[in-house]
Amino acid sequence: QTPVALLPMKLAVNEKTNEQLCSRNREQTQGMKIISLQIATAALLASLAFPAWSDELKIGAASPVGEYTNTIVPAIDKKLQPHGYRAVAQISQGSQQNVEDVSSGKLTVALSQWDVAALAMEEGAGDKLTLIGKMAPEALLCAVNKQGRARSLHDFTDPRETPLKVSVGGEKSGTAKTFAYLQQLDPRLSGLELVYEQDVAAELHRLTSKSRDAVCFVMMPNPDNPLLKLVAQENDLKFIDFVNDKLANAKIGGDNVYDVIEVPVSPGVWGVGADTVNTLVTWVGLIVNKTQADLGLTVLLNGVASEPDLLPPTSAAGKALLLYDTYRIKAEEATGQWSEKAMEMINR
């Protein structure tokens, strides 16, 4: 037992000890609150920077092995992830089916050639569709037999008692719809007999035997494409220039549907030393159902589709874009040099 005389001293010590314990507990509690606040703040910032994927955005693409499915949609997905979306490619027959699916509301967003979308919008789907972005170029290439009835675009527009037989891919292919649009732009092309056959390589062989007058297809510029190699290997076949004013001046919403560019059509090191033709080049864009997509999503997609570094430079689509830029710059330089020479002659 503690002597009575020492009780005040012991009580004072106990009070001091209790006060120290309480102070330590308060400091620990305050420290835990600060740590908890820091953790909560970090979690909030992380959620703002990389929000939970609240929406899976299905995007109409094309075949399972094409650039639409394996390059463009994954590139869009990468850009959308920080904003709370996951882009997933929906396999389809291509631009025409995509336009139909978005117009009907089956899909909200899809990829499409600009000319195919323009055709649909002019035929009545304009109230539902918004067309945004020019992500990758696609060139219209037409092969003919050097000894055949079609030697140039003039032969395509010439009225004939026996129409030219022109193969344009499957009935719902992008190329078939390209020709439907071109026939609206230049009615003289309506005199063609269009042949719908999906196997382009087989059609090129038929061209050598003159059972076809021309074989046309839309593709991303790539001089190492097997179809281009097939034409290059056949001495009787060649690609022709395919452009006139009626076609080149097509517009939608004030934007050109086509550019006219020199496109390499024979094997080479991405165009170096290759044969070229002047032809129509349309673009891969995004079609959006504006009655289903809110304004925020449409603005976001427009920003993504307009990014210059969207496509991986090593992909076929990325290389096609680089090739297009290379030949566009060459054309602009050549035009500039011609203009300078013309001015020099005028000023003499």
Side-chain angles (χ1 to χ4, degrees):
Q1 293 184 354
T2 304
V4 175
L6 296 178
L7 282 175
M9 184 181 298
K10 183 175 181 179
L11 290 173
V13 171
N14 289 342
E15 288 176 1
K16 185 175 182 180
T17 301
N18 290 336
E19 184 178 346
Q20 290 174 340
L21 289 173
C22 290
S23 176
R24 189 178 304 147
N25 288 337
R26 284 195 298 271
E27 290 175 358
Q28 290 176 347
T29 301
Q30 186 67 22
M32 292 175 66
K33 288 181 178 178
I34 292 173
I35 292 172
S36 297
L37 180 60
Q38 291 173 338
I39 293 173
T41 302
L44 176 61
L45 292 174
S47 68
L48 291 174
F50 299 98
W53 292 322
S54 56
D55 287 306
E56 179 182 81
L57 185 63
K58 295 179 180 179
I59 298 181
S63 73
V65 297
E67 286 294 287
Y68 281 29
T69 301
N70 295 298
T71 297
I72 299 178
V73 173
I76 294 172
D77 175 56
K78 184 177 180 180
K79 296 291 186 180
L80 288 180
Q81 285 185 26
H83 302 280
Y85 291 93
R86 289 303 307 263
V88 179
Q90 293 293 108
I91 304 303
S92 78
Q93 296 180 39
S95 293
Q96 179 58 27
Q97 183 184 338
N98 291 344
V99 167
E100 292 174 359
D101 287 346
V102 174
S103 298
S104 67
K106 183 178 178 180
L107 290 175
T108 301
V109 184
L111 299 174
S112 175
Q113 295 170 207
W114 265 60
D115 52 0
V116 176
L119 175 65
M121 294 170 79
E122 290 184 3
E123 290 180 341
D127 293 339
K128 297 180 180 178
L129 302 181
T130 298
L131 177 60
I132 54 178
K134 290 186 173 182
M135 294 175 285
E138 293 203 290
L140 172 62
L141 299 177
C142 285
V144 300
N145 191 306
K146 295 176 183 178
Q147 310 303 321
R149 294 193 301 160
R151 309 287 182 86
S152 72
L153 178 56
H154 295 297
D155 294 313
F156 282 66
T157 57
D158 182 33
R160 293 170 179 266
E161 185 174 338
T162 304
L164 294 179
K165 286 187 176 181
V166 180
S167 177
V168 293
E171 192 168 0
K172 284 196 172 184
S173 68
T175 304
K177 294 304 172 181
T178 291
F179 263 84
Y181 183 57
L182 296 181
Q183 287 175 332
Q184 283 194 4
L185 298 174
D186 190 342
R188 294 175 299 173
L189 294 171
S190 299
L192 302 173
E193 179 184 343
L194 300 182
V195 179
Y196 301 108
E197 173 57 56
Q198 195 69 37
D199 191 340
V200 178
E203 289 293 274
L204 287 171
H205 287 296
R206 294 181 182 111
L207 181 61
T208 62
S209 65
K210 299 183 184 179
S211 61
R212 300 288 182 269
D213 293 303
V215 175
C216 298
F217 49 92
V218 175
M219 58 163 278
M220 292 181 185
N222 175 0
D224 294 322
N225 183 283
L227 296 176
L228 271 62
K229 290 182 178 181
L230 181 58
V231 173
Q233 291 166 2
E234 293 288 345
N235 292 330
D236 291 337
L237 303 185
K238 69 172 185 176
F239 287 104
I240 61 171
D241 294 345
F242 205 96
V243 62
N244 65 28
D245 290 343
K246 292 179 183 291
L247 308 180
N249 293 326
K251 293 184 181 295
I252 183 167
D255 292 317
N256 290 332
V257 175
Y258 295 111
D259 289 328
V260 178
I261 201 73
E262 193 177 4
V263 175
V265 291
S266 65
V269 184
W270 284 99
V272 177
D275 296 330
T276 61
V277 293
N278 285 306
T279 191
L280 302 171
V281 174
T282 191
W283 291 87
V284 181
L286 282 172
I287 44 172
V288 181
N289 185 315
K290 54 189 176 186
T291 65
Q292 291 183 330
D294 59 51
L295 180 60
L297 175 59
T298 303
V299 171
L300 176 60
L301 288 171
N302 185 55
V304 168
S306 302
E307 290 195 20
D309 63 342
L310 173 65
L311 302 176
T314 56
S315 66
K319 290 179 179 178
L321 183 59
L322 178 61
L323 191 65
Y324 168 85
D325 287 338
T326 299
Y327 275 86
R328 176 182 55 80
I329 292 170
K330 286 182 179 180
E332 290 175 351
E333 289 176 347
T335 302
Q337 291 171 359
W338 183 88
S339 298
E340 289 176 1
K341 290 181 180 179
M343 289 301 297
E344 288 177 2
M345 294 177 66
I346 292 171
N347 294 328
R348 285 178 182 176

